[in-house]
Every structure is written in structure tokens, then in C-alpha cells.
Amino acid sequence: KPLKGSDSNLFQRAATIWYDLPVPVIAAVHGACLGGGMQISLGCDVRVASPDASFSIMELKWGIIPDMGISLTLPRLINYEKAMELTMTNRKFSASEAVNLGIVSKLADSPIAQSRLIANEILKKSPDAIYQLKKLYKAAWTPNKQELLKLEAKLQTTLMGGENQMEAVAANFSNRVPIFKPMKKVIKN
């Protein structure tokens, strides 16, 4: 259920809050940026990562879909084919691959220092122009925010607690290959 005054539910809000802010948001990424952390970083306008950072969209490993606003944030960065491959395999990928994909803006030995340099450069620009630019680009790269977030949440509820989702969790905790049951019917959105 969406939070009051927002198109996002509680889980989506952890990532979409950065997307929704009218000011630029810069993420400094160190170490492993996986699952929910990955989705939170995708909500930012700019991502600076250390060269040794790693990334993964992990949710399918647990029998669920990413549901923290990724339907808004990932498509503005990479193409469908690459999004499907990364999400369906949940493989870890390097910071340099993340830059090549367009998920990370740049690499820096000190992502925080580099993020501050970028922020200081932005501060030299008209705040009115920055505000309007972010509004323009969000409109240009987002078809229908409310509908996307509702669909994302609805699809997730069809999976949570289901037999195959519970098998995914059990298999991961037991460090074994999951044995999934065939779909009984096509899940309708």
C-alpha cells in the first residue's frame, strides 16, 4: 500500500525517496552493493564507486523480484536485455562493469571525496535550474511512476510466501540447489 502522500510503498520508499527529492542525490559506493542496497543506490542521480566495489541484483535468488522502485530506476540506466540478464542470474559484477553498463557514473579511489567534488560543482549552478532539470529528466525517463510502482508491488505479493519462494529461501540457507514446482497457472498482473 502506498505511503500517505507518495506513490511508493514502505519498501519502495527506501529507494524512491532519493529519486523523489527535488535536489541532486549522489551515492558513494564502497564494498558490496547487493539486493536492497543496490536498489537504494539506483534511486540516486549519480553513483560514484570505489574500484573494488561489487554489485548484484540478488532478489531472484530468494524467489522474489526486486521491489524497491527498480521498475523506475533501472530502465533509465540500462537496456532491457542487460537488465534481464543481471536480474535473472543475480551474478555479481565489478565496479568497472557497472560503469560500462551505465549503472555507476564514475570510479574513484575515494568515492566520498569524488562525490563532494561533484556536489561542489553542482552548487555553482543555479538551484532553480538544477531543480527544473531534475523535474524534466524524471518526466522524460519515467513513463508512469504510479502505475509502475503499483505493478511492482502487486507482482511481488504474488510471490511472497508461495511454495517456490519458500523453496528458494530454504535451498539458499541449506546451500543446495532448489527444487521448484511447476507453475500451476500463469500469474496475471
Side-chain angles (χ1 to χ4, degrees):
K1 179 178 177 184
L3 296 172
K4 187 175 182 178
S6 172
D7 295 326
S8 309
N9 66 31
L10 183 62
F11 299 104
Q12 293 166 332
R13 195 72 182 141
T16 61
I17 191 168
W18 310 117
Y19 175 86
D20 290 338
L21 284 175
V23 296
V25 179
I26 304 166
V29 180
H30 298 268
C33 187
L34 314 173
M38 171 82 173
Q39 290 186 78
I40 289 169
S41 78
L42 292 174
C44 299
D45 300 302
V46 175
R47 282 155 301 290
V48 179
S50 62
D52 62 347
S54 62
F55 299 83
S56 180
I57 305 168
M58 304 279 301
E59 287 72 10
L60 262 66
K61 177 179 180 175
W62 302 101
I64 57 175
I65 60 172
D67 69 339
M68 294 173 64
I70 201 166
S71 58
L72 281 177
T73 58
L74 191 60
R76 66 190 172 124
L77 302 174
I78 66 175
N79 68 36
Y80 173 86
E81 174 189 358
K82 193 46 85 170
M84 290 295 284
E85 184 262 325
L86 292 174
T87 307
M88 290 190 298
T89 65
N90 62 285
R91 72 174 173 83
K92 284 187 182 177
F93 54 98
S94 68
S96 60
E97 183 177 357
V99 169
N100 291 336
L101 289 167
I103 290 172
V104 167
S105 307
K106 63 184 350 180
L107 299 181
D109 290 329
S110 176
I112 292 174
Q114 183 63 47
S115 294
R116 286 184 177 136
L117 289 173
I118 293 169
N120 286 331
E121 193 59 37
I122 292 169
L123 287 169
K124 295 176 186 175
K125 311 299 188 279
S126 162
D128 299 338
I130 294 293
Y131 172 82
Q132 297 296 13
L133 175 68
K134 187 165 177 177
K135 186 189 276 186
L136 173 66
Y137 280 6
K138 281 178 14 184
W141 268 273
T142 306
N144 185 326
K145 178 183 174 193
Q146 185 177 27
E147 291 303 313
L148 278 174
L149 292 174
K150 281 183 1 188
L151 177 61
E152 184 180 278
K154 182 178 181 181
L155 293 174
Q156 185 71 294
T157 62
T158 68
L159 300 171
M160 295 294 289
E163 284 182 275
N164 282 335
Q165 195 263 323
M166 299 308 290
E167 172 59 15
V169 172
N172 277 294
F173 281 126
S174 300
N175 202 21
R176 62 174 172 79
V177 175
I179 302 168
F180 295 116
K181 298 204 170 163
M183 284 178 34
K184 294 177 185 160
K185 61 178 180 172
V186 175
I187 300 171
K188 294 184 180 179
N189 58 1

